[in-house]
Amino acid sequence: MSPNPRHISLLIGLGAVALLLLVRIFSIQILDGRYKSDADRQATVRETIYPTRGVIFDRNGEILVGNKVAYDILVSPRDVQPFDTLALATVLNVTPDFIRGKLLEFERRKSSIGFQSVVMMRTVPAETYMRFDEVKYRFPGFRGQVRGIRDYPVNAGGNLLGYVSEVNKAYIDRHEGEYEQGDYAGMTGIEAAREKELRGEKGYHIYLRNVRNQIEQPYKDGAEDKEAVPGKDVTTTIDAALQQYGQELMNNKVGSIVAIEPSTGEILALVSSPGIDVSQLADIGRHYREIASNPYKPMYNRAVQASYPPGSVFKLVNGLIGLQEGVLRPEMMYPCNKGYHFGAGHKLGCHVHRSPLNMEESIMMSCNAYYCYVLKNILDNKKYASVAEGLDAWNDYVQSFGFGRKLQSDFPAELSGSIPTSRTYNRYYGKGRWNSTTVISLSIGQGEILATPMHLANLCATIANRGYYYIPHIIKESEEIPLDARFKQRQYTKVDTVHFPKLIKGMWRAVNSGPGMGGTAAIAHIDSLDVCGKTGTAQNPRGADNSVFICFAPMDNPRIAIAAYVENGGFGASYAAPIASLMVEKYLKGDVKRKGLEKKMKEDNLMSRVKTK
Amino acid sequence: MVQGSFTRTERRLRQSIDWALVATYLVLILIGWINIYASIHSSAPPSILSWSTRSGKQFVWILTSLGLAGIILQLLPPRIWEAVSVPFYIFVLGLLVLVIFVSSDVKGSHSWFDLGPVRFQPAEISKISTSLVLALIMSQPQFRISRLKDFLKAVAVIALPMLVIVAESETGSALVYLGFIFVLYREGLSGWWLGLIALVVGLFIATLTLGPYWAIMLLAAALLISNARVEKRPGKLLGWGSAALLALSLIPWLWGLLTKAVQARMDYLNSRIWVPQAGESLDYFWSFICGINPVVFIIAAAAVAIPLLLWKAYMKKKGFLAISIGAFVAGVLLVFSTQFIFEKVLKDHQRSRIEILLGMKEDPSGVGYNVNQSKIAIGSGGFSGKGFLHGTQTTFGFVPEQSTDFIFCTVGEEWGFLGCLVVIALYVFLIARLMADAERCRGKFTRIYGYCAASCIFMHLFINVGMTVGLMPVIGIPLPLLSYGGSSLWSFTIMIFIFLALYREEKKYF
């Protein structure tokens, strides 16, 4: 019996339809990848696990910046279903309008948000979150996420530590691939400088969720999950107690204190006043406007970012260069008749003191005229063809102390200050149209010299070390964070180390000669401590002189070198010297005996002297 | 001796059952059961036998189905089906009508009897009764499908339950009855009918997606090919015809170019400050021309060609040509009324389903949700699937109706392309085996009934799987033997095992 042809054609039809279905199935299962990503997207939720940020310690292991728990309230706009706005608002302690406004905003950003979650409220306190957690099943699309926020046990080093805040679009773009919306990053200070170590690595849990957006189970039993890697702890070289003490002393004054351990270059304290209180750091978002609009610019780290004329402190550098160049010998005496007279009636003034003086005494009494002679001898030295050449040689010496350039410390924002060269004056006056008297104010650290307080502290450490310094740094070497090799190398100046002890005697005498002997820094004297110091009174075109002081102690094997710079503080001995001296006493003695002086420094208010415009 | 002959008969009886068919049936219900379990699986899986789950209930349906199968094979005399077919048909028809009035509303349809813990859909049984009666009348010796009276009789048997089911708002189930056309075809219905139905459906879709112009072109092309098939020397006809069609198909393209040119010219004219001059009336002529709908050209061509062709048909006694011309006119009317049907006759949900299917509207969250989720579930399965109980889409409720109408999604997601291939191959084997067995039968009744069963399963397979992969609109009918549900499983079991019983009866005499 031959098969029925209709049977055959129907079989062919059956085969064709089956093939059609299989081709279609093949195309959506194998050829088209879209459905796989759709499935993953709608059936999985990725919950980011934020790592705990590294803790910042002081040099003695005390916590400067720790962490505490808060919660963010997240919302996935696509999953939100109609809900009782008032109930949610009550639970979260906000107004219904706030929630409506947020959701409206997310609606506008719908296309960019997609299936992601966005933060509706930041750092909600734990007890508010607990209330929300109990009822969150009623609000599909909303969830909470643990978020560590910064905690500051001691009020030390506000803007030195810096603040942490959520990254914005510009920040994300600048650090491509490293951050996404909702991440936090250190924006200033140590938080910013050591961001890479502190932030750690984010992890995530992937969960499967059902159509009602309930979490069902970990995706692939957590095989694809990634644990967060906590941030590394950072140990700073800061001494919390000293730092805090410095901040108190600088209260209601504008200026800086930089204290360095000369034998290592470690920064013991770095005060910039006015600074940011740590309570403001914790909630920078709310205080940012207030801080930014403060005319005294508390965000500005004066210790490394403010360039000032160093004033008489700089005589030490000129003295050392003179000794090295052989144009100055310690026993050389120069006269001073209330200043240095040059040309027709021009004079660089000085205060009343004995005359003539040798080098030691010139430092002790801070004679201006003496250093006019010294500088003139350096610049007009016959071995140089011209003053210009002499000045450039002088510039080389000065730069070797770290002046006029960045010290390469671990502050990314540090400024270089400036030290003039022959080109500077050629530009001002024309080539060959200036001489050593034109630039005579360089002798006393005025004129075209600008240096940061850190430069001055570094100078002090260099002298304390008798000729070399370690680059100042604020991060202490730890197991997790090795110290860059540059911080471990001695940096020698171009002045031979043999010349340094000759000045130190003068610095000692400035502090320890006793009352009535003409020492400019008698107020810095501390019983049983050989403090060596040099005052400075820098002219400030905007009002009263700046008070400057550097000192180190003890004289032998110094443990602290410090620079204090108080804007509009008057004579070096008025504010900078007592403040630096109190810091030394605090650090080396642990306890300050000179309570009266301490009280006066803490309470005196110089803010009215400071011009902000 | 007597004992021996009895066992021989017994053995022959057992051998005469088509065990391959039974095995395919068993494998399919087992696959169904496993996938129903997977569909309702959640993080805390209960036992597959737990009564609180659908898989537990399905287990009961499977056991009772096997019981039914045993009864049909062993207890009931196969001859009974021929005898009871008419009263059974009338009874089921009565149930179909009754259910409209007593049923509760299930998603807009009135097709379920609510019997306390279980529900029952008479439309499922109706396929069996219709098949039996169709087999009965078509197996009469004097029945000739080519005779109009007999043809109408067969159509009436099919159409009656179909119309009642449409009245129940179960359009999907009614569509299955269209499959009986294959049975009529097997029994001698002209193949032109199949072609005609295909053409009507094709025109409908073409009108909605491509517009009336291309729908009419499609109609003309189909009629041209048909005429060429009956013509002894089709060369001349094909040559002229395809040349005309090609020329007509260029018109929309030319119109597009013309419109663009006129638009540019008009923009230029509008950009000038001064008043239009006499010579520019030509521009307005051209803009008038390109405002004409190209369909006008087809109408004009038809107005010239139809009288000529009619005259030719009359002179050369070409009946088919005359019929084709009639079909063309009817087709054009269909095309123009389609828009009307689409907008006025169809209900909103039907229209939107068609729009989604034809890709005229994207709506993944509304009506398109089911299809989109279904495609995501199947598509995410990949080549070998995510593994048993590891499908995320079906397990976590993203696919609606996943244990009933969308059970194929579970197969697709958890077992991948391989699983789909196996399941479809099993169905193809089942259907082809039914057809092959039917072909081997001497009795027309069994043969026709076998084809009826094969057609029903085929229609369910095509519509259901087609729906889950977005080839068909969302029509809520179950996948035979796989979908959860007692009514469906019972009726397909009865349908298949009636055939097996009839088939064995056939073999007894050989």
Side-chain angles (χ1 to χ4, degrees):
Chain A
M1 194 172 79
S2 68
N4 185 311
R6 295 271 165 113
H7 176 214
I8 302 298
S9 47
L10 285 174
L11 272 181
I12 292 170
L14 172 66
V17 168
L19 195 67
L20 173 71
L21 292 177
L22 284 173
V23 165
R24 175 71 174 185
I25 292 167
F26 188 80
S27 89
I28 66 173
Q29 284 191 317
I30 315 284
L31 303 181
D32 195 338
R34 191 173 37 149
Y35 297 107
K36 283 166 205 61
S37 53
D38 280 357
D40 286 346
R41 207 179 48 212
Q42 73 176 8
T44 57
V45 237
R46 182 179 283 233
E47 192 185 272
T48 308
I49 314 166
Y50 288 98
T52 46
R53 206 171 160 83
V55 171
I56 302 176
F57 293 100
D58 92 332
R59 64 188 294 111
N60 304 314
E62 197 174 331
I63 293 177
L64 291 173
V65 188
N67 294 303
K68 65 183 175 191
V69 167
Y71 296 84
D72 288 349
I73 303 294
L74 307 187
V75 54
S76 328
R78 296 237 175 161
D79 297 329
V80 172
Q81 283 154 24
F83 64 97
D84 184 348
T85 317
L86 185 63
L88 183 62
T90 314
V91 166
L92 292 176
N93 231 344
V94 291
T95 63
D97 283 337
F98 171 82
I99 293 175
R100 271 184 221 117
K102 281 287 184 184
L103 289 179
L104 256 165
E105 181 203 327
F106 298 148
E107 178 69 23
R108 273 195 300 275
R109 286 165 50 202
K110 202 173 175 178
S111 55
S112 67
I113 294 170
F115 283 86
Q116 293 174 326
S117 298
V118 281
V119 176
M120 187 177 77
M121 285 175 72
R122 289 227 167 280
T123 56
V124 173
E127 68 267 26
T128 307
Y129 175 73
M130 294 307 161
R131 275 207 311 272
F132 167 75
D133 196 47
E134 282 168 23
V135 295
K136 71 175 176 194
Y137 69 93
R138 280 163 54 198
F139 308 107
F142 293 88
R143 67 196 168 93
Q145 189 169 53
V146 182
R147 199 52 181 279
I149 58 168
R150 288 310 223 180
D151 184 39
Y152 303 87
V154 289
N155 186 11
N159 49 2
L160 177 63
L161 299 169
Y163 67 90
V164 170
S165 77
E166 191 185 350
V167 295
N168 60 16
K169 179 110 180 34
Y171 192 91
I172 295 170
D173 291 346
R174 263 203 314 280
H175 303 82
E176 213 185 311
E178 290 182 61
Y179 295 90
E180 51 194 62
Q181 209 180 4
D183 289 353
Y184 280 70
M187 294 295 167
T188 58
I190 294 172
E191 298 273 22
R194 312 309 294 194
E195 168 68 11
K196 279 197 167 56
E197 287 90 0
L198 287 168
R199 70 178 172 200
E201 275 177 59
K202 281 187 291 181
Y204 46 79
H205 288 306
I206 307 176
Y207 294 108
L208 289 172
R209 64 167 167 191
N210 66 16
V211 71
R212 287 175 300 281
N213 202 26
Q214 292 159 326
I215 301 295
E216 285 277 359
Q217 63 194 52
Y219 178 64
K220 290 188 181 167
D221 292 326
E224 305 272 301
D225 290 3
K226 185 170 170 282
E227 286 302 321
V229 180
K232 291 177 183 167
D233 293 343
V234 168
T235 305
T236 66
T237 59
I238 294 293
D239 182 296
L242 186 65
Q243 175 74 25
Q244 201 167 358
Y245 187 64
Q247 283 168 210
E248 287 165 14
L249 293 174
M250 288 299 286
N251 193 27
N252 287 321
K253 294 158 203 79
V254 176
S256 310
I257 309 171
V258 180
I260 295 175
E261 186 177 66
S263 58
T264 56
E266 289 175 0
I267 296 171
L268 301 171
L270 190 134
V271 179
S272 172
S273 179
I276 304 170
D277 202 80
V278 289
S279 65
Q280 294 178 311
L281 281 184
D283 196 4
I284 192 77
R286 196 166 302 156
H287 297 288
Y288 190 86
R289 192 178 295 271
E290 174 199 328
I291 292 169
S293 63
N294 185 327
Y296 301 110
K297 300 181 182 159
M299 297 273 270
Y300 176 54
N301 188 352
R302 290 174 161 79
V304 292
Q305 289 182 299
S307 297
Y308 303 105
S312 300
V313 167
F314 199 75
K315 289 172 183 167
L316 296 168
V317 180
N318 283 330
L320 285 164
I321 296 169
L323 290 170
Q324 178 69 26
E325 287 282 278
V327 297
L328 174 65
R329 275 172 282 118
E331 65 278 12
M332 283 166 82
M333 308 269 270
Y334 287 110
C336 175
N337 182 14
K338 290 185 189 169
Y340 173 75
H341 300 260
F342 57 96
H346 294 287
K347 173 182 106 161
L348 199 156
C350 192
H351 55 103
V352 180
H353 57 78
R354 263 189 299 128
S355 176
L357 299 169
N358 65 18
M359 192 189 81
E360 238 176 74
E361 289 162 337
S362 75
I363 291 170
M364 169 188 165
M365 299 182 197
S366 196
C367 174
N368 287 349
Y370 195 93
Y371 287 92
C372 294
Y373 291 110
V374 171
L375 184 74
K376 207 167 153 30
N377 291 342
I378 293 169
L379 298 183
D380 294 340
N381 193 339
K382 290 284 177 290
K383 74 183 197 190
Y384 300 116
S386 67
V387 179
E389 209 172 289
L391 185 76
D392 289 338
W394 172 84
N395 182 289
D396 274 355
Y397 280 113
V398 176
Q399 292 238 7
S400 74
F401 285 84
F403 288 101
R405 57 184 175 84
K406 291 183 182 177
L407 284 167
Q408 305 297 319
S409 74
D410 45 9
F411 289 90
E414 72 166 324
L415 291 187
S416 56
S418 77
I419 301 296
T421 62
S422 58
R423 245 187 317 202
T424 316
Y425 295 108
N426 286 343
R427 205 165 54 238
Y428 287 176
Y429 304 108
K431 207 169 178 178
R433 302 184 60 176
W434 55 276
N435 57 32
S436 54
T437 37
T438 320
V439 301
I440 201 68
S441 41
L442 296 179
S443 62
I444 55 163
Q446 294 287 343
E448 287 73 25
I449 297 180
L450 290 174
T452 65
M454 179 130 89
H455 281 125
L456 300 184
N458 189 52
L459 168 66
C460 187
T462 310
I463 296 169
N465 285 336
R466 276 74 169 168
Y468 63 88
Y469 65 93
Y470 288 101
I471 296 175
H473 52 278
I474 197 155
I475 305 300
K476 209 170 158 60
E477 179 148 45
S478 63
E479 276 176 33
E480 290 184 317
I481 301 174
L483 198 61
D484 194 281
R486 72 176 191 269
F487 297 122
K488 295 179 182 170
Q489 286 162 358
R490 289 182 178 188
Q491 312 283 327
Y492 283 94
T493 68
K494 289 191 163 181
V495 175
D496 199 293
T497 51
V498 297
H499 298 303
F500 284 84
K502 301 169 190 168
L503 280 99
I504 289 172
K505 197 77 210 316
M507 290 173 74
W508 184 88
R509 285 178 66 183
V511 178
N512 300 298
S513 300
M517 297 301 290
T520 52
I523 195 160
H525 173 78
I526 304 167
D527 287 341
S528 77
L529 265 182
D530 287 327
V531 177
C532 303
K534 176 76 194 81
T535 55
T537 305
Q539 286 167 9
N540 185 338
R542 301 176 344 152
D545 291 343
N546 295 335
S547 172
V548 192
F549 187 67
I550 64 172
C551 67
F552 64 88
M555 185 162 75
D556 299 317
N557 299 316
R559 290 172 55 207
I560 182 169
I562 192 163
Y565 203 107
V566 182
E567 289 186 32
N568 307 108
F571 294 119
S574 318
Y575 285 98
I579 285 173
S581 163
L582 286 167
M583 290 284 282
V584 170
E585 187 176 4
K586 173 85 179 171
Y587 184 68
L588 293 180
K589 299 265 184 185
D591 190 35
V592 176
K593 290 235 169 65
R594 297 173 288 167
K595 293 293 178 196
L597 187 65
E598 177 182 74
K599 184 166 182 288
K600 177 176 159 49
M601 286 301 127
K602 282 186 181 178
E603 288 176 1
D604 275 7
N605 188 334
L606 305 181
M607 298 309 269
S608 60
R609 297 193 195 171
V610 180
K611 294 201 175 107
T612 56
K613 285 270 158 64
Chain B
M1 200 63 205
V2 172
Q3 190 72 30
S5 77
F6 178 77
T7 46
R8 211 161 37 238
T9 321
E10 193 62 353
R11 195 184 308 127
R12 191 188 287 164
L13 264 177
R14 220 178 284 130
Q15 280 169 343
S16 60
I17 291 177
D18 185 349
W19 288 109
L21 210 52
V22 175
T24 313
Y25 164 85
L26 287 174
V27 170
L28 281 171
I29 55 175
L30 193 68
I31 290 175
W33 189 42
I34 288 170
N35 283 296
I36 289 164
Y37 176 61
S39 308
I40 47 107
H41 164 73
S42 70
S43 300
S47 159
I48 192 167
L49 295 171
S50 165
W51 176 248
S52 64
T53 66
R54 288 195 156 182
S55 63
K57 289 181 181 145
Q58 183 75 356
F59 184 62
V60 175
W61 301 131
I62 289 172
L63 289 184
T64 50
S65 294
L66 295 179
L68 277 174
I71 290 168
I72 291 167
L73 280 183
Q74 295 297 332
L75 299 182
L76 296 178
R79 292 273 164 210
I80 199 174
W81 300 112
E82 226 169 320
V84 302
S85 58
V86 173
F88 184 41
Y89 179 81
I90 292 168
F91 172 69
V92 172
L93 207 56
L95 285 182
L96 284 174
V97 176
L98 184 67
V99 79
I100 299 176
F101 300 104
V102 301
S103 74
S104 47
D105 192 317
V106 179
K107 288 177 197 154
S109 83
H110 294 265
S111 60
W112 292 89
F113 279 118
D114 228 327
L115 305 174
V118 288
R119 293 189 311 169
F120 160 70
Q121 199 175 22
E124 295 289 349
I125 300 294
S126 160
K127 277 168 235 163
I128 301 169
S129 60
T130 307
S131 300
L132 286 170
V133 170
L134 201 58
L136 181 72
I137 59 159
M138 288 175 70
S139 61
Q140 301 307 309
Q142 71 278 21
F143 184 89
R144 293 283 176 277
I145 191 92
S146 50
R147 212 154 53 200
L148 187 62
K149 197 183 120 198
D150 286 345
F151 173 66
L152 289 179
K153 213 196 271 177
V155 168
V157 168
I158 300 165
L160 214 54
M162 196 174 160
L163 290 175
V164 180
I165 291 169
V166 169
E168 290 174 359
S169 299
E170 271 288 310
T171 326
S173 297
L175 272 179
V176 174
Y177 288 77
L178 286 181
F180 286 118
I181 192 105
F182 300 123
V183 181
L184 301 188
Y185 172 73
R186 166 61 186 86
E187 295 305 316
L189 181 73
S190 164
W192 294 111
W193 283 99
L194 282 183
L196 188 67
I197 288 176
L199 187 61
V200 169
V201 173
L203 279 185
F204 189 76
I205 293 174
T207 308
L208 294 182
T209 55
L210 304 173
Y213 189 90
W214 293 107
I216 294 171
M217 292 288 285
L218 179 77
L219 172 67
L223 290 174
L224 178 67
I225 292 165
S226 308
N227 274 287
R229 279 195 65 173
V230 294
E231 197 82 25
K232 282 189 196 70
R233 285 190 299 277
K236 195 176 148 194
L237 179 71
L238 274 178
W240 280 105
S242 43
L245 286 180
L246 191 67
L248 283 171
S249 66
L250 287 177
I251 286 179
W253 177 67
L254 286 173
W255 243 236
L257 286 184
L258 183 65
T259 308
K260 221 181 254 176
V262 168
Q263 192 58 50
R265 174 80 180 151
M266 295 309 279
D267 286 348
Y268 166 68
L269 291 181
N270 289 337
S271 70
R272 294 183 317 174
I273 299 158
W274 61 82
V275 189
Q277 293 171 359
E280 287 163 5
S281 58
L282 198 64
D283 294 315
Y284 292 98
F285 169 75
W286 283 112
S287 70
F288 169 75
I289 291 292
C290 75
I292 295 171
N293 190 329
V295 173
V296 169
F297 287 86
I298 292 193
I299 306 287
V304 176
I306 285 174
L308 280 173
L309 290 171
L310 266 180
W311 184 68
K312 192 176 171 187
Y314 174 73
M315 293 299 286
K316 301 209 170 164
K317 301 271 185 296
K318 285 184 176 173
F320 191 80
L321 185 57
I323 292 170
S324 300
I325 291 165
F328 180 77
V329 174
V332 170
L333 289 178
L334 175 76
V335 166
F336 285 121
S337 56
T338 291
Q339 209 69 39
F340 176 79
I341 293 170
F342 188 66
E343 276 164 17
K344 309 280 174 186
V345 179
L346 291 185
K347 288 178 183 158
D348 275 350
H349 71 276
Q350 291 166 324
R351 185 166 55 243
S352 58
R353 280 174 183 183
I354 290 173
E355 282 172 341
I356 300 291
L357 178 73
L358 297 180
M360 293 160 71
K361 208 163 77 178
E362 287 273 347
D363 183 14
S365 57
V367 180
Y369 178 82
N370 291 7
V371 183
N372 193 44
Q373 290 298 334
S374 163
K375 277 154 77 178
I376 289 174
I378 294 175
S380 65
F383 184 71
S384 54
K386 297 178 185 169
F388 181 50
L389 300 186
H390 284 92
T392 53
Q393 307 302 302
T394 49
T395 302
F396 297 138
F398 289 100
V399 181
E401 310 287 342
Q402 61 201 38
S403 60
T404 55
D405 296 346
F406 284 92
I407 189 73
F408 194 71
C409 294
T410 314
V411 178
E413 190 185 12
E414 297 196 345
W415 305 98
F417 182 70
L418 285 179
C420 295
L421 185 69
V422 166
V423 167
I424 286 176
L426 283 169
Y427 277 111
V428 169
F429 178 79
L430 183 74
I431 294 164
R433 185 82 180 181
L434 279 171
M435 285 162 66
D437 286 351
E439 284 293 335
R440 274 199 288 274
C441 292
R442 287 203 169 169
K444 266 181 105 178
F445 181 83
T446 309
R447 183 177 75 211
I448 294 167
Y449 179 79
Y451 264 98
C452 284
S455 301
C456 284
I457 295 171
F458 169 76
M459 288 303 280
H460 272 265
L461 172 73
F462 181 45
I463 294 174
N464 182 287
V465 176
M467 163 185 82
T468 58
V469 297
L471 280 177
M472 297 290 284
V474 176
I475 292 168
I477 62 169
L479 191 57
L481 309 178
L482 256 70
S483 285
Y484 167 79
S487 304
S488 162
L489 183 57
W490 276 22
S491 57
F492 280 107
T493 302
I494 293 168
M495 182 181 271
I496 291 167
F497 279 87
I498 286 177
F499 175 75
L500 281 168
L502 290 169
Y503 180 63
R504 181 171 66 173
E505 181 73 3
E506 281 275 339
K507 279 193 146 182
K508 251 187 196 170
Y509 305 108
F510 295 99

